[in-house]
Amino acid sequence: MHNFQVKNVFVGLLPAGGDLLTELERFAAKEGISAADVQIIGFADGATFGYYDDQKHEYIQKRMEGKLEIISAVGNVSIKEGKHFAHLHIVLGDEKGELRGGHLLAETKILVAETRITVLEGDELVRQYDPQTGLWLWR
Ligand code: ZN
């Protein structure tokens, strides 16, 4: 386990029309955030997420179309291969209130993204490739 203190908290909207993961990583890079907790609620126009196949070591992509509630997106920011990397899991609701979700992938268009980023300072939070799982895990 790593040890951190809360440095500061950003609260606001990520840019509408952008991609959720891309905009979060862009903000993290701009602000030099190398460790953070992230929480987002809002509204999206189409979303792409994945389910990890731990035998094939790849994400099976899932797609929802249309206007979707972002019921909850939670995750973190850390460093992967020297870059600011966001890892989010998302739950989405359609007009019937039915939920789907998984590991957030690119191509999730923001309509509204109310975002809280709790920036941490302390240890380095760096990912490295783990050949056993095929995932980039915190070292
Ligand atoms: Zn994940």
Side-chain angles (χ1 to χ4, degrees):
M1 295 294 272
H2 299 274
N3 186 28
F4 295 98
Q5 293 190 319
V6 173
K7 183 181 176 198
N8 65 303
V9 180
F10 290 101
V11 175
L13 299 174
L14 291 174
D19 172 65
L20 188 55
L21 210 50
T22 304
E23 294 299 339
L24 180 59
E25 288 179 342
R26 183 175 295 158
F27 185 82
K30 184 174 88 113
E31 296 294 334
I33 298 168
S34 55
D37 270 333
V38 178
Q39 175 181 296
I40 300 169
I41 60 171
F43 205 46
D45 186 4
T48 306
F49 46 91
Y51 173 83
Y52 191 66
D53 183 328
D54 70 343
Q55 299 301 307
K56 291 183 178 167
H57 287 186
E58 64 187 27
Y59 285 96
I60 301 164
Q61 282 203 21
K62 312 282 182 182
R63 177 82 187 156
M64 281 177 90
E65 298 294 348
K67 305 287 172 65
L68 305 165
E69 291 283 348
I70 302 172
I71 307 293
S72 177
V74 295
N76 51 68
V77 171
S78 57
I79 298 296
K80 175 184 165 189
E81 295 184 296
K83 291 186 181 150
H84 302 268
F85 175 78
H87 181 200
L88 285 183
H89 286 187
I90 190 165
V91 179
L92 299 144
D94 65 15
E95 75 280 4
K96 294 176 192 158
E98 290 177 359
L99 308 181
R100 292 176 66 195
H103 174 100
L104 182 66
L105 297 170
E107 295 189 28
T108 298
K109 186 177 175 185
I110 299 168
L111 295 177
V112 176
E114 293 186 353
T115 302
R116 188 180 78 201
I117 301 169
T118 303
V119 182
L120 306 172
E121 67 181 352
D123 294 344
E124 278 196 322
L125 198 55
V126 176
R127 292 181 180 276
Q128 67 182 14
Y129 185 73
D130 174 46
Q132 200 160 359
T133 61
L135 294 167
W136 288 77
L137 302 176
W138 291 328
R139 62 181 182 215

